[in-house]
Amino acid sequence: MRRTHIPLLLLLVALIIASPAPVVAAATTATTEKGAEYSAVVKLIETHYKVKHRGIPFVANLGVKTAKVVSKDARRVLRFGTFKLAIFEDQDFSGRDSAAGDIRARFRQTLEPEWHPLVAVRLEEEGQTYTYTKADGDKFKVLIVIIGQRDATVLQVNLNPEEFAKLLLNPERESRELTNEATSVEQ
Amino acid sequence: MRTKLNSWTKLLCLAVALVAASATAGRAQQQPQGAARLQLDNEASLAQKSSELIDVNLDENLLRIIPKKIITTTDTGEKIDIGKIVGGLRGVYVRSYGFTNEGEYSESNLNGVRAQLRSPGWARLVNIIKKKAGENMHVEVYMMTATGRIDGIAILALEPKRLTLVNIVGTIDLEKLSQLEGQFGIPELGIGNGGDDDKDNKPAPRKQ
């Protein structure tokens, strides 16, 4: 290396070190495929619980029961704008594959670090609710996973600050209400 | 020429060191959790053993989103301005574990949290023992006052089949603490009406 390059190299190193972490994170986000987290979570549920998404081409080759899965993009309802929804119906979500680990831990591994785990609830009668949030400009992305004994939903919505504040006040109840609202529209 | 280049290299090395040091210090300052922030996840086994789990994490960035004036109705029908209450908060963290049978958790599961609550600044504020028909709850409320004001609250609620840990970080009016019950995933612990039951709700001797 020519000696004259050393100062430039050092300057570059200094700039990299000095860069605040969020900037680096933002750059990572920018390169993430839009909607990738939602798709990754849907896929994770499929592999974890051995259920299947109808939209995946090789489903017929697998000896697993096919769920009715409805994925809708760009739907509009009153409380939130575009959303993505996957519904798994009449599947067995009661068992857990211990070798695959806890589903919650796997969500953490799957989602980018900027997704904040807002609430995780596991109740005997109502099942599991997991809500993750992420700032997205002047809105907030919210990813809600609800897993019951026989059904599951994955919902991603964009909320404005006012609606997001409501979610923060009662995270579990609002997560369920948002999901109910989205699935009602679906029906 | 070589001497001049060496000087520039040294200067740049110094600049690199300074910038790196300042960036590291800046990042350390960004760590939001002060002494009032408790580590509630030391007992990972509790989450695995429990049949029910509630885990809520609201950090300062999220709490800032809540408008300064937002009226909400409690389960008792009381209207409260939750925005005012959360104005000084920097975090709300809840862990609640439900168990199928009694005795599935023990005092030893609280060792990690209790050790933190013995650190300087934390003092037990009140002890509430509720023993009504069908209810057997022991609630301990601690406050962190290291800076001379309330910087945080910790609540330990022990029931035969449920263990709840709540950590509220930031400035809070103690009189309004009960209004947070039922909000942000904090369960109804009856702190506000603890005086109706068998109790020992005198302030405990201050620990330092």
Side-chain angles (χ1 to χ4, degrees), chain B residues 3 43 55 60 81 86 101-102 107 139 144 176 184 191 194 206:
Chain B
T3 312
E43 295 295 336
D55 181 329
E60 187 173 11
D81 185 352
V86 302
N101 303 302
E102 291 186 19
E107 185 63 30
V139 182
M144 158 61 81
K176 291 177 179 168
F184 305 115
I191 296 170
R206 185 171 173 121

Side-chain angles (χ1 to χ4, degrees), chain A residues 54-67:
Chain A
R54 193 170 56 178
I56 291 180
F58 49 83
V59 62
N61 298 329
L62 302 174
V64 290
K65 198 172 174 182
T66 305

Side-chain angles (χ1 to χ4, degrees), chain A:
Chain A
M1 184 184 295
R2 287 179 59 188
R3 200 169 200 132
T4 48
H5 289 167
I6 292 175
L8 278 175
L9 195 66
L10 287 168
L11 189 62
L12 187 66
V13 170
L15 284 171
I16 290 169
I17 294 172
S19 297
V23 173
V24 177
T28 311
T29 310
T31 57
T32 306
E33 190 188 339
K34 200 175 178 183
E37 299 95 344
Y38 164 83
S39 302
V41 166
V42 171
K43 196 159 191 170
L44 172 60
I45 289 173
E46 289 175 345
T47 54
H48 191 84
Y49 290 102
K50 307 283 190 290
V51 292
K52 212 54 202 164
H53 189 293
R54 193 170 56 178
I56 291 180
F58 49 83
V59 62
N61 298 329
L62 302 174
V64 290
K65 198 172 174 182
T66 305
K68 178 197 169 193
V69 179
V70 186
S71 293
K72 299 281 183 188
D73 290 351
R75 298 291 302 270
R76 290 202 170 270
V77 291
L78 289 176
R79 287 182 70 192
F80 42 85
T82 58
F83 70 95
K84 298 178 179 186
L85 172 68
I87 304 171
F88 295 73
E89 285 184 320
D90 195 25
Q91 294 288 285
D92 183 11
F93 292 95
S94 59
R96 281 192 298 178
D97 184 358
S98 57
D102 180 53
I103 186 77
R104 188 175 162 209
R106 299 194 68 194
F107 285 145
R108 289 305 308 144
Q109 292 163 0
T110 302
L111 292 169
E112 298 278 343
E114 59 264 35
W115 281 92
H116 175 84
L118 177 62
V119 64
V121 176
R122 190 179 69 227
L123 298 174
E124 281 181 335
E125 289 182 3
E126 294 175 44
Q128 307 169 69
T129 304
Y130 302 96
T131 303
Y132 296 87
T133 67
K134 181 172 119 175
D136 183 29
D138 59 346
K139 291 198 169 186
F140 298 89
K141 278 187 177 175
V142 179
L143 185 65
I144 302 168
V145 180
I146 295 182
I147 302 169
Q149 292 291 319
R150 301 291 306 171
D151 304 297
T153 54
V154 180
L155 172 69
Q156 184 176 307
V157 294
N158 292 328
L159 297 182
N160 63 35
E162 192 182 328
E163 291 295 336
F164 190 67
K166 285 184 196 169
L167 174 72
L168 299 181
L169 287 183
N170 203 323
E172 199 237 342
R173 189 183 66 196
E174 279 297 312
S175 294
R176 287 191 171 273
E177 285 188 5
L178 285 167
T179 303
N180 286 342
E181 197 169 322
T183 50
S184 302
V185 169
E186 173 53 35
Q187 287 160 7

Side-chain angles (χ1 to χ4, degrees), chain A residues 165 168-171, chain B residues 56 58 63 66 82 86 89 92 94 180 182-186:
Chain A
L168 299 181
L169 287 183
N170 203 323
Chain B
V56 179
L58 284 141
L63 289 169
I66 296 173
I82 200 78
V86 302
L89 297 189
V92 177
V94 180
L180 285 178
Q183 311 288 340
F184 305 115
I186 300 172

Side-chain angles (χ1 to χ4, degrees), chain B residues 2-206:
Chain B
R2 173 165 286 192
T3 312
K4 199 171 183 181
L5 188 64
N6 280 344
S7 303
W8 274 108
T9 308
K10 280 176 190 169
L11 265 175
L12 265 167
C13 282
L14 188 64
V16 167
L18 284 172
V19 169
S22 112
T24 308
R27 280 172 209 160
Q29 281 176 355
Q30 284 169 13
Q31 297 297 323
Q33 318 307 350
R37 171 79 164 99
L38 297 175
Q39 268 300 329
L40 299 178
D41 295 321
N42 289 343
E43 295 295 336
S45 61
L46 278 174
Q48 289 172 345
K49 275 196 284 186
S50 62
S51 56
E52 296 194 338
L53 165 74
I54 297 171
D55 181 329
V56 179
N57 301 285
L58 284 141
D59 62 17
E60 187 173 11
N61 291 335
L62 292 178
L63 289 169
R64 275 194 205 140
I65 293 156
I66 296 173
K68 288 193 169 60
K69 187 171 177 67
I70 179 166
I71 306 295
T72 184
T73 309
T74 65
D75 288 347
T76 57
E78 185 191 358
K79 285 195 186 304
I80 54 170
D81 185 352
I82 200 78
K84 257 186 194 167
I85 299 171
V86 302
L89 297 189
R90 289 186 289 125
V92 177
Y93 307 92
V94 180
R95 303 286 182 276
S96 187
Y97 307 97
F99 302 91
T100 310
N101 303 302
E102 291 186 19
E104 286 194 59
Y105 78 90
S106 66
E107 185 63 30
S108 66
N109 290 122
L110 290 168
N111 285 348
V113 172
R114 288 204 189 281
Q116 295 173 72
L117 293 171
R118 280 194 292 273
S119 60
W122 281 107
R124 195 169 73 188
L125 181 68
V126 69
N127 226 11
I128 304 167
I129 299 169
K130 303 177 113 195
K131 282 190 179 174
K132 275 183 176 174
E135 190 178 27
N136 184 0
M137 185 189 277
H138 179 189
V139 182
E140 299 170 29
V141 181
Y142 296 79
M143 64 177 181
M144 158 61 81
T145 55
T147 60
R149 60 177 189 191
I150 297 174
D151 293 323
I153 298 277
I155 302 169
L156 277 57
L158 289 76
E159 298 169 81
K161 292 184 186 177
R162 181 164 291 278
L163 170 64
T164 301
L165 311 171
V166 179
N167 182 203
I168 299 168
V169 184
T171 310
I172 183 167
D173 182 348
L174 277 179
E175 289 179 3
K176 291 177 179 168
L177 180 60
S178 64
Q179 294 182 342
L180 285 178
E181 290 183 52
Q183 311 288 340
F184 305 115
I186 300 172
E188 299 279 354
L189 298 170
I191 296 170
N193 55 19
D196 298 338
D197 307 294
D198 296 337
K199 66 178 190 292
D200 168 19
N201 61 357
K202 291 175 187 168
R206 185 171 173 121

